[in-house]
Amino acid sequence: MEQNYYQREIETMSAEDMKKLQSEKLVKQVKHVYENVPYYKNLMDEKGVTPDDIRSIDDLHKLPFLTKSDLRDAYPYGLLAKPLEDCVRIHSTSGTTGRRVVAFYTQHDVDLWEDCCARAITAVGGTKKDVCQVAYGYGLFTGGFGLNGGSHKVGCLTLPMSSGNTERQVQFMMDLSATILCCTPSYAAYLGESLKEQGYKPEDIPLKAGIFGAEPWTEEMRHQIEETLGIKAYDIYGLTETTGPGVAFECSEQTGMHVNEDHFYAEIIDPDTGEVLPEGSKGELVFTSLDKEAFPLLRYRTRDICVLSRKKCSCGRTLVKMAKPMGRTDDMLIIRGVNVFPSQIETVLLTEGYEPNYQIVVDRVNNNDTFEVNVEMTAAHFTDKVSEILAMEKSLANAMKTMLGINPTVHLVAPKSIARSEGKAVRVIDKRKLI
Ligand code: ADP
Ligand code: ZN
């Protein structure tokens, strides 16, 4: 693919210049936060760090971390660094883990966020000639507004569909020849399924690329979406605490996401000790907002488990790359003492020829964990012979046992019986937490 950049100078900047830029921004940002956010000033005071100790990005490790529980303690205004009258927007997390936080934006912050999304759209080949269908939710959730803003900046014709109303999504996509689709990967899979049911073949669908994120998804799911929609499917990452989607985005190489590190500095730490780990190590991703004004979190622990790489990328961008997050520390289920990530189940299902429509149900009976995986039958697997169904369930359970090390009970359920998601999919029902 011919490479286009939205902000070439930044996206292809030398490592040395980038470090200089990050250092200058960090020194200013730490002063701004120290002077305007008493909550963080206290954390710095407790650690015995002052803004004078931070002279370059190499000093970042001296600063204290922020966690989601700090955000809860400081709710709603405790981490605000600008007067409310200078803010123009509020967004909130989608509450996947049950705890919402609110984030504030000045116009400057909205602009830099939209620039990040514009970089993402340009990286997948988007230009002003494209029709960009934004099927992320609009509202408190960041997805819709973020990609909408980026699409405007690139000059695409923007279809602000929001999530849901699948019939209208399909109609507008076909009638208005949408070329880029932005939504969660689970909703993209669902749209693909609906298009297929309505008799559309991949070659009938005008889309050429999709920008999918906001939840974990596997390489197998990428291939499946690419095949059903006849597109290239690209990953995008972000979180409300930093801005929203666009913190990192995938390029033509499709081997991880470039972090917009002129705005968000990424570190990988050992989640147990807090120690910064060298490039290439797996650990918890931590972000520092280098130039956001209203809600500038320093060393925010995302709980996402990830790896960073500075390997040269064929797209020409020099921005550090993050691998697909393999789940969050709090997504990880511990079943019978074994760590299980929903993404591992998804990999098995797609490798075995099933659709990514599944739900994991965990419970505790007589002090023992029960572990069930409900999986939809596909047309290809359909049979009414009980013995065949049992054999398929057993073979899936074996494949999962090989991947996970523990044995689930697999139930094949009727097609369409697991609720489809228009936003982030609900993959896990952990009844143990309700006890
Ligand atoms: P919530 O924590 O309520 O889900 P957000 O809507 O801000 O709040 O979601 C941010 C989180 O979504 C990230 O921390 C990450 O766990 C997940 N996420 C976002 N994009 C991706 C992606 N491309 N791949 C995997 N996980 C993602
Ligand atoms: Zn690249």
Side-chain angles (χ1 to χ4, degrees):
M1 189 203 287
E2 193 203 330
Q3 290 299 329
N4 281 319
Y5 307 100
Y6 182 69
Q7 288 166 313
R8 175 188 295 269
E9 197 193 330
I10 296 283
E11 292 174 62
T12 60
M13 190 173 257
S14 72
E16 195 189 328
D17 286 351
M18 179 57 76
K19 197 168 167 187
K20 208 168 138 234
L21 180 67
Q22 290 167 331
S23 295
E24 281 164 13
K25 287 186 177 187
L26 178 70
V27 169
K28 253 173 80 183
Q29 185 72 307
V30 172
K31 282 202 182 82
H32 170 59
V33 172
Y34 194 78
E35 284 162 14
N36 294 292
V37 184
Y39 188 99
Y40 198 75
K41 177 180 183 294
N42 284 342
L43 292 180
M44 284 178 63
D45 290 346
E46 271 169 27
K47 228 179 162 225
V49 196
T50 67
D52 287 342
D53 297 321
I54 309 300
R55 291 163 188 276
S56 88
I57 204 78
D58 293 332
D59 296 321
L60 184 64
H61 67 98
K62 297 177 182 164
L63 290 171
F65 292 115
L66 278 172
T67 63
K68 198 122 173 172
S69 86
D70 289 309
L71 267 65
R72 258 197 345 260
D73 293 348
Y75 175 90
Y77 302 124
L79 290 164
L80 188 63
K82 276 280 190 185
L84 263 189
E85 63 190 42
D86 291 341
C87 298
V88 298
R89 183 92 68 80
I90 288 179
H91 281 287
S92 166
T93 58
S94 46
T96 310
T97 51
R99 296 163 294 205
R100 287 177 193 276
V101 296
V102 283
F104 301 85
Y105 305 69
T106 61
Q107 186 56 50
H108 163 272
D109 299 339
V110 171
D111 266 340
L112 78 80
W113 175 26
E114 292 180 353
D115 282 344
C116 290
C117 290
R119 289 181 194 172
I121 293 171
T122 309
V124 309
T127 68
K128 66 196 288 271
K129 294 190 182 139
D130 281 293
V131 178
C132 183
Q133 177 164 359
V134 183
Y136 281 112
Y138 283 64
L140 281 172
F141 176 58
T142 51
F145 279 100
L147 268 313
N148 192 96
S151 170
H152 271 226
K153 287 214 169 193
V154 173
C156 304
L157 176 60
T158 310
L159 286 180
M161 299 297 296
S162 196
S163 57
N165 203 334
T166 304
E167 210 174 298
R168 193 177 55 193
Q169 300 273 3
V170 168
Q171 189 199 335
F172 272 62
M173 179 188 292
M174 300 307 294
D175 292 354
L176 301 174
S177 294
T179 51
I180 299 177
L181 173 66
C182 309
C183 60
T184 56
S186 49
Y187 194 51
Y190 180 31
L191 275 173
E193 189 178 294
S194 307
L195 281 154
K196 203 167 166 185
E197 271 170 20
Q198 292 182 34
Y200 293 112
K201 297 198 185 66
E203 57 272 26
D204 304 328
I205 302 171
L207 293 175
K208 63 177 188 194
I211 303 180
F212 306 129
E215 63 182 2
W217 55 309
T218 54
E219 279 304 322
E220 290 79 9
M221 182 129 164
R222 186 209 301 267
H223 294 142
Q224 203 205 35
I225 295 174
E226 289 191 332
E227 269 175 33
T228 342
L229 291 173
I231 60 171
K232 286 269 180 207
Y234 300 91
D235 206 350
I236 188 166
Y237 170 92
L239 60 169
T240 315
E241 293 89 327
T242 51
T243 43
V247 170
F249 62 96
E250 222 170 27
C251 62
S252 50
E253 207 181 87
Q254 294 182 300
T255 55
M257 296 174 270
H258 289 287
V259 178
N260 283 311
E261 58 176 329
D262 54 323
H263 298 304
F264 309 104
Y265 188 85
E267 297 170 280
I268 293 286
I269 62 158
D270 177 326
D272 297 323
T273 63
E275 184 201 347
V276 180
L277 300 176
E279 185 199 324
S281 318
K282 186 159 93 181
E284 182 179 350
L285 191 55
V286 173
F287 279 112
T288 294
S289 280
L290 294 173
D291 50 6
K292 255 173 58 178
E293 294 177 339
F295 201 65
L297 302 187
L298 304 180
R299 301 200 86 200
Y300 180 66
R301 293 182 60 158
T302 62
R303 296 168 304 158
D304 291 323
I305 300 161
C306 200
V307 178
L308 293 175
S309 159
R310 291 212 169 265
K311 241 173 75 196
K312 198 166 186 279
C313 189
S314 61
C315 77
R317 286 177 187 78
T318 48
L319 302 169
V320 67
K321 272 162 92 168
M322 58 180 268
K324 249 179 192 319
M326 67 162 297
R328 305 189 198 196
T329 44
D330 51 7
D331 252 0
M332 188 180 79
L333 290 158
I334 303 182
I335 307 174
R336 296 174 210 147
V338 174
N339 299 347
V340 174
F341 284 96
S343 57
Q344 295 174 301
I345 307 264
E346 188 173 296
T347 298
V348 172
L349 290 182
L350 291 163
T351 317
E352 300 285 318
Y354 290 83
E355 305 280 327
N357 299 319
Y358 65 99
Q359 206 151 43
I360 303 164
V361 184
V362 191
D363 203 349
R364 187 160 289 161
V365 179
N366 298 332
N367 291 324
N368 275 325
D369 290 337
T370 60
F371 174 25
E372 294 173 26
V373 185
N374 297 326
V375 180
E376 277 185 12
M377 294 248 224
T378 61
H381 293 99
F382 204 78
T383 164
D384 49 10
K385 277 207 185 127
V386 176
S387 59
E388 285 178 8
I389 294 177
L390 288 177
M392 285 192 286
E393 288 176 340
K394 189 143 190 280
S395 134
L396 255 186
N398 283 340
M400 286 181 199
K401 165 102 199 285
T402 309
M403 171 70 112
L404 305 168
I406 54 167
N407 220 339
T409 307
V410 172
H411 299 291
L412 283 176
V413 298
K416 293 273 149 58
S417 60
I418 294 175
R420 298 293 186 268
S421 160
E422 291 164 355
K424 302 195 190 207
V426 182
R427 302 291 194 200
V428 179
I429 301 175
D430 192 346
K431 297 182 178 167
R432 297 173 303 182
K433 286 186 184 147
L434 305 175
I435 297 167

